[in-house]
Amino acid sequence: GPLRPAAAPRRRVSRAVAPSAMFGQPKVEDVLKTPKWPAEWPYSEKDFKRQDESSDTYFYDTPRYVFHIDEFAVKALTKYYAENIPADSEILDLCSSWVSHLPKDLKTKRVVGIGMNDAELKKNERLDEYFVQNMNVNTGLPLPDASVDVITNVVSVDYLNKPLEIFREMHRVLRPGGLAIMSFSNRCFPTKAISIWLNTSDAEHVFIVGSYFHYAGGFDAPTAYNISPNMGFTDPMYIVQARKKAE
């Protein structure tokens, strides 16, 4: 049928990091073990420029009922959620679409989606409510302080051009001890990904996302996991996550 999951026209932008690791590149899961964070936010405005700076609203106007990673990566992510998201959680799915990859049997108290396409969000059976919002224009999350237990973001962190503001907002809406799970692969829409993402490796992507948590403040040290199911054969899948500091 027309909704058959298919690989999206997303280009692989970086090589998968083989277990032996690229020369000079640590293994993905080791990147955040002893990170050397610069004293100040190390990025410039040009790092967040995109090849296509026209309105994101136009780009996301047409619904895309496809998976943006292959089925093996999807299964690995769903399994990770099953093992790491407690039952009866209130979840915010950032950059949400027609599917959230949550396990079918995971009982949730409430799932809120924020995304760009009304038709996609309407089709997502896991969402109890949703907001259509361009977070590259409006970084404020439409939720009260300390109102969710878990935040998920699937293969979309590389499109955020104001990540520091958004990660501060994520901190605001998470409950103390709440978990933010950023997952990504090495595929993207290259015209909409931020410049620095297109010019860095998978291991460097892990460092970049970890740095967003670090500079936003108020999170425990971020950790990285390589949940790629068949490294080098199917889409890689990486997790960078952090908990809001418990009060």
Side-chain angles (χ1 to χ4, degrees), residues 84-96:
N84 290 276
I85 298 179
D88 301 315
S89 292
E90 292 191 74
I91 300 170
L92 169 60
D93 188 25
L94 275 186
C95 307
S96 189

Side-chain angles (χ1 to χ4, degrees), residues 15 17-18 20-28 31 200-204:
R15 295 162 295 172
V17 181
S20 56
M22 291 181 287
F23 177 73
Q25 287 283 1
K27 288 197 294 187
V28 159
V31 170
T200 44
S201 68
D202 290 2
E204 288 165 324

Side-chain angles (χ1 to χ4, degrees), residues 100-121:
S100 291
H101 304 303
L102 294 167
K104 283 193 173 64
D105 57 356
L106 177 67
K107 288 196 176 74
T108 54
K109 189 170 178 185
R110 182 173 70 124
V111 183
V112 180
I114 299 177
M116 290 288 292
N117 186 284
D118 186 80
E120 286 186 22
L121 294 164

Side-chain angles (χ1 to χ4, degrees), residues 131-182:
F131 301 90
V132 176
Q133 179 176 323
N134 181 352
M135 287 191 300
N136 283 340
V137 173
N138 175 11
T139 57
L141 299 176
L143 295 174
D145 295 359
S147 59
V148 297
D149 304 297
V150 176
I151 295 175
T152 57
N153 178 295
V154 182
V155 297
S156 297
V157 69
D158 46 320
Y159 303 122
L160 301 177
N161 65 9
K162 298 181 181 73
L164 191 59
E165 292 90 328
I166 290 166
F167 274 62
R168 284 172 176 158
E169 274 290 277
M170 285 162 46
H171 178 271
R172 180 184 66 78
V173 303
L174 274 172
R175 296 191 171 106
L179 181 64
I181 305 172
M182 307 285 113

Side-chain angles (χ1 to χ4, degrees), residues 67 69-83 101-104 227-230 234-235 237:
F67 288 165
I69 42 178
D70 68 28
E71 61 183 303
F72 305 102
V74 167
K75 278 183 184 157
L77 179 61
T78 299
K79 180 173 182 282
Y80 188 84
Y81 283 166
E83 293 164 355
H101 304 303
L102 294 167
K104 283 193 173 64
I227 62 166
S228 308
N230 306 288
T234 57
D235 286 347
M237 202 68 204

Side-chain angles (χ1 to χ4, degrees), residues 64-68 74 93 95-102 120-121 123-127 154:
R64 294 176 174 89
Y65 300 118
V66 296
F67 288 165
H68 298 294
V74 167
D93 188 25
C95 307
S96 189
S97 66
W98 70 285
V99 62
S100 291
H101 304 303
L102 294 167
E120 286 186 22
L121 294 164
K123 193 166 184 59
N124 188 330
E125 294 173 357
R126 291 310 297 258
L127 300 182
V154 182

